[in-house]
PDB file of all heavy atoms in Angstrom:
ATOM      1  N   ALA M  34      -0.098   9.900  -7.362  1.00 91.00           N
ATOM      2  CA  ALA M  34       1.354   9.913  -7.189  1.00 91.00           C
ATOM      3  C   ALA M  34       2.107   9.451  -8.432  1.00 91.00           C
ATOM      4  O   ALA M  34       3.256   9.054  -8.344  1.00 91.00           O
ATOM      5  CB  ALA M  34       1.727   9.044  -6.005  1.00 91.00           C
ATOM      6  N   PRO M  38       8.593  10.881  -7.595  1.00 93.00           N
ATOM      7  CA  PRO M  38       9.762  10.019  -7.814  1.00 93.00           C
ATOM      8  C   PRO M  38      10.101   9.114  -6.629  1.00 93.00           C
ATOM      9  O   PRO M  38      10.856   8.158  -6.789  1.00 93.00           O
ATOM     10  CB  PRO M  38      10.889  11.024  -8.062  1.00 93.00           C
ATOM     11  CG  PRO M  38      10.455  12.256  -7.359  1.00 93.00           C
ATOM     12  CD  PRO M  38       8.950  12.276  -7.433  1.00 93.00           C
ATOM     13  N   ASP M  46       8.516   3.241   4.033  1.00 97.00           N
ATOM     14  CA  ASP M  46       8.371   3.920   5.327  1.00 97.00           C
ATOM     15  C   ASP M  46       6.987   3.679   5.927  1.00 97.00           C
ATOM     16  O   ASP M  46       6.860   3.446   7.125  1.00 97.00           O
ATOM     17  CB  ASP M  46       8.622   5.419   5.182  1.00 97.00           C
ATOM     18  CG  ASP M  46      10.083   5.753   4.918  1.00 97.00           C
ATOM     19  OD1 ASP M  46      10.949   4.869   5.120  1.00 97.00           O
ATOM     20  OD2 ASP M  46      10.345   6.891   4.476  1.00 97.00           O
ATOM     21  N   VAL M  48       4.977   1.113   5.427  1.00 95.00           N
ATOM     22  CA  VAL M  48       4.877  -0.277   5.893  1.00 95.00           C
ATOM     23  C   VAL M  48       5.631  -0.448   7.203  1.00 95.00           C
ATOM     24  O   VAL M  48       5.132  -1.080   8.135  1.00 95.00           O
ATOM     25  CB  VAL M  48       5.395  -1.253   4.810  1.00 95.00           C
ATOM     26  CG1 VAL M  48       5.526  -2.660   5.358  1.00 95.00           C
ATOM     27  CG2 VAL M  48       4.470  -1.248   3.602  1.00 95.00           C
ATOM     28  N   TRP M  53       2.950  -3.084  12.986  1.00 86.00           N
ATOM     29  CA  TRP M  53       2.200  -3.672  14.095  1.00 86.00           C
ATOM     30  C   TRP M  53       0.765  -3.168  14.133  1.00 86.00           C
ATOM     31  O   TRP M  53       0.036  -3.442  15.065  1.00 86.00           O
ATOM     32  CB  TRP M  53       2.904  -3.367  15.415  1.00 86.00           C
ATOM     33  CG  TRP M  53       4.339  -3.745  15.356  1.00 86.00           C
ATOM     34  CD1 TRP M  53       5.405  -2.894  15.326  1.00 86.00           C
ATOM     35  CD2 TRP M  53       4.881  -5.054  15.258  1.00 86.00           C
ATOM     36  NE1 TRP M  53       6.576  -3.604  15.228  1.00 86.00           N
ATOM     37  CE2 TRP M  53       6.280  -4.942  15.185  1.00 86.00           C
ATOM     38  CE3 TRP M  53       4.328  -6.337  15.218  1.00 86.00           C
ATOM     39  CZ2 TRP M  53       7.126  -6.039  15.073  1.00 86.00           C
ATOM     40  CZ3 TRP M  53       5.175  -7.423  15.112  1.00 86.00           C
ATOM     41  CH2 TRP M  53       6.551  -7.261  15.051  1.00 86.00           C
ATOM     42  N   PRO M  56      -4.704  -4.587   9.982  1.00 90.00           N
ATOM     43  CA  PRO M  56      -4.505  -4.331   8.555  1.00 90.00           C
ATOM     44  C   PRO M  56      -4.413  -2.837   8.246  1.00 90.00           C
ATOM     45  O   PRO M  56      -4.926  -2.010   8.978  1.00 90.00           O
ATOM     46  CB  PRO M  56      -5.749  -4.937   7.920  1.00 90.00           C
ATOM     47  CG  PRO M  56      -6.799  -4.865   8.959  1.00 90.00           C
ATOM     48  CD  PRO M  56      -6.080  -4.974  10.282  1.00 90.00           C
ATOM     49  N   VAL M  74       4.310  -0.321  -5.990  1.00 95.00           N
ATOM     50  CA  VAL M  74       3.823  -0.784  -4.676  1.00 95.00           C
ATOM     51  C   VAL M  74       3.899  -2.308  -4.601  1.00 95.00           C
ATOM     52  O   VAL M  74       4.360  -2.864  -3.601  1.00 95.00           O
ATOM     53  CB  VAL M  74       2.388  -0.285  -4.412  1.00 95.00           C
ATOM     54  CG1 VAL M  74       1.806  -0.937  -3.169  1.00 95.00           C
ATOM     55  CG2 VAL M  74       2.364   1.227  -4.282  1.00 95.00           C
ATOM     56  N   THR M  76       5.890  -4.322  -6.227  1.00 95.00           N
ATOM     57  CA  THR M  76       7.292  -4.716  -6.155  1.00 95.00           C
ATOM     58  C   THR M  76       7.860  -4.510  -4.747  1.00 95.00           C
ATOM     59  O   THR M  76       8.567  -5.370  -4.225  1.00 95.00           O
ATOM     60  CB  THR M  76       8.125  -3.915  -7.174  1.00 95.00           C
ATOM     61  OG1 THR M  76       7.595  -4.142  -8.481  1.00 95.00           O
ATOM     62  CG2 THR M  76       9.586  -4.319  -7.143  1.00 95.00           C
ATOM     63  N   LEU M  78       6.174  -4.425  -1.879  1.00 95.00           N
ATOM     64  CA  LEU M  78       5.577  -5.404  -0.967  1.00 95.00           C
ATOM     65  C   LEU M  78       6.195  -6.785  -1.164  1.00 95.00           C
ATOM     66  O   LEU M  78       6.463  -7.496  -0.182  1.00 95.00           O
ATOM     67  CB  LEU M  78       4.064  -5.459  -1.163  1.00 95.00           C
ATOM     68  CG  LEU M  78       3.288  -4.208  -0.755  1.00 95.00           C
ATOM     69  CD1 LEU M  78       1.812  -4.376  -1.089  1.00 95.00           C
ATOM     70  CD2 LEU M  78       3.480  -3.878   0.709  1.00 95.00           C
ATOM     71  N   ASP M  79       6.448  -7.172  -2.407  1.00 95.00           N
ATOM     72  CA  ASP M  79       7.088  -8.460  -2.662  1.00 95.00           C
ATOM     73  C   ASP M  79       8.509  -8.492  -2.103  1.00 95.00           C
ATOM     74  O   ASP M  79       8.927  -9.476  -1.514  1.00 95.00           O
ATOM     75  CB  ASP M  79       7.128  -8.764  -4.158  1.00 95.00           C
ATOM     76  CG  ASP M  79       5.791  -9.228  -4.695  1.00 95.00           C
ATOM     77  OD1 ASP M  79       4.917  -9.595  -3.891  1.00 95.00           O
ATOM     78  OD2 ASP M  79       5.620  -9.210  -5.929  1.00 95.00           O
ATOM     79  N   MET M  81       9.648  -6.818   0.357  1.00 94.00           N
ATOM     80  CA  MET M  81       9.586  -6.818   1.818  1.00 94.00           C
ATOM     81  C   MET M  81       8.962  -8.115   2.358  1.00 94.00           C
ATOM     82  O   MET M  81       8.729  -8.231   3.553  1.00 94.00           O
ATOM     83  CB  MET M  81       8.799  -5.600   2.315  1.00 94.00           C
ATOM     84  CG  MET M  81       9.488  -4.288   2.018  1.00 94.00           C
ATOM     85  SD  MET M  81       8.555  -2.870   2.598  1.00 94.00           S
ATOM     86  CE  MET M  81       9.054  -2.851   4.320  1.00 94.00           C
ATOM     87  N   MET M  82       8.697  -9.071   1.462  1.00 94.00           N
ATOM     88  CA  MET M  82       8.145 -10.382   1.814  1.00 94.00           C
ATOM     89  C   MET M  82       6.764 -10.279   2.457  1.00 94.00           C
ATOM     90  O   MET M  82       6.444 -11.002   3.399  1.00 94.00           O
ATOM     91  CB  MET M  82       9.103 -11.143   2.738  1.00 94.00           C
ATOM     92  CG  MET M  82      10.508 -11.293   2.199  1.00 94.00           C
ATOM     93  SD  MET M  82      10.661 -12.534   0.939  1.00 94.00           S
ATOM     94  CE  MET M  82      10.600 -13.990   1.898  1.00 94.00           C
ATOM     95  N   ILE M  83       5.941  -9.375   1.963  1.00 92.00           N
ATOM     96  CA  ILE M  83       4.577  -9.212   2.461  1.00 92.00           C
ATOM     97  C   ILE M  83       3.643  -9.851   1.442  1.00 92.00           C
ATOM     98  O   ILE M  83       3.446  -9.318   0.348  1.00 92.00           O
ATOM     99  CB  ILE M  83       4.235  -7.725   2.668  1.00 92.00           C
ATOM    100  CG1 ILE M  83       5.180  -7.145   3.710  1.00 92.00           C
ATOM    101  CG2 ILE M  83       2.782  -7.555   3.061  1.00 92.00           C
ATOM    102  CD1 ILE M  83       5.075  -5.668   3.875  1.00 92.00           C
ATOM    103  N   HIS M  84       3.103 -11.003   1.803  1.00 89.00           N
ATOM    104  CA  HIS M  84       2.293 -11.776   0.868  1.00 89.00           C
ATOM    105  C   HIS M  84       0.831 -11.900   1.291  1.00 89.00           C
ATOM    106  O   HIS M  84       0.022 -12.384   0.524  1.00 89.00           O
ATOM    107  CB  HIS M  84       2.895 -13.169   0.694  1.00 89.00           C
ATOM    108  CG  HIS M  84       4.310 -13.125   0.215  1.00 89.00           C
ATOM    109  ND1 HIS M  84       4.662 -12.701  -1.041  1.00 89.00           N
ATOM    110  CD2 HIS M  84       5.472 -13.422   0.841  1.00 89.00           C
ATOM    111  CE1 HIS M  84       5.977 -12.749  -1.183  1.00 89.00           C
ATOM    112  NE2 HIS M  84       6.494 -13.187  -0.051  1.00 89.00           N
ATOM    113  N   ASP M  89      -7.936  -5.130  -4.315  1.00 91.00           N
ATOM    114  CA  ASP M  89      -9.245  -4.651  -4.733  1.00 91.00           C
ATOM    115  C   ASP M  89      -9.044  -3.875  -6.031  1.00 91.00           C
ATOM    116  O   ASP M  89      -7.934  -3.774  -6.546  1.00 91.00           O
ATOM    117  CB  ASP M  89      -9.850  -3.765  -3.636  1.00 91.00           C
ATOM    118  CG  ASP M  89     -11.342  -3.582  -3.786  1.00 91.00           C
ATOM    119  OD1 ASP M  89     -11.915  -4.114  -4.749  1.00 91.00           O
ATOM    120  OD2 ASP M  89     -11.936  -2.899  -2.938  1.00 91.00           O
ATOM    121  N   GLU M  94      -4.954  -4.049   0.457  1.00 92.00           N
ATOM    122  CA  GLU M  94      -5.063  -4.117   1.910  1.00 92.00           C
ATOM    123  C   GLU M  94      -4.063  -5.131   2.420  1.00 92.00           C
ATOM    124  O   GLU M  94      -4.090  -6.294   2.028  1.00 92.00           O
ATOM    125  CB  GLU M  94      -6.474  -4.501   2.336  1.00 92.00           C
ATOM    126  CG  GLU M  94      -6.640  -4.517   3.833  1.00 92.00           C
ATOM    127  CD  GLU M  94      -8.072  -4.750   4.271  1.00 92.00           C
ATOM    128  OE1 GLU M  94      -8.971  -4.766   3.401  1.00 92.00           O
ATOM    129  OE2 GLU M  94      -8.283  -4.885   5.486  1.00 92.00           O
ATOM    130  N   VAL M  96      -2.979  -7.430   5.154  1.00 91.00           N
ATOM    131  CA  VAL M  96      -3.669  -8.081   6.260  1.00 91.00           C
ATOM    132  C   VAL M  96      -2.682  -8.496   7.347  1.00 91.00           C
ATOM    133  O   VAL M  96      -2.982  -8.408   8.529  1.00 91.00           O
ATOM    134  CB  VAL M  96      -4.468  -9.296   5.756  1.00 91.00           C
ATOM    135  CG1 VAL M  96      -5.190  -9.987   6.883  1.00 91.00           C
ATOM    136  CG2 VAL M  96      -5.441  -8.881   4.666  1.00 91.00           C
ATOM    137  N   VAL M  98       1.746  -8.735   8.266  1.00 77.00           N
ATOM    138  CA  VAL M  98       3.143  -8.460   7.887  1.00 77.00           C
ATOM    139  C   VAL M  98       4.007  -9.536   8.482  1.00 77.00           C
ATOM    140  O   VAL M  98       3.858  -9.917   9.604  1.00 77.00           O
ATOM    141  CB  VAL M  98       3.595  -7.073   8.370  1.00 77.00           C
ATOM    142  CG1 VAL M  98       5.054  -6.852   8.055  1.00 77.00           C
ATOM    143  CG2 VAL M  98       2.736  -6.013   7.750  1.00 77.00           C
TER     144      VAL M  98
END
Side-chain angles (χ1 to χ4, degrees):
D46 289 345
V48 170
W53 308 110
V74 171
T76 302
L78 293 176
D79 283 345
M81 294 180 82
M82 305 283 284
I83 298 172
H84 302 292
D89 198 359
E94 183 174 353
V96 180
V98 176

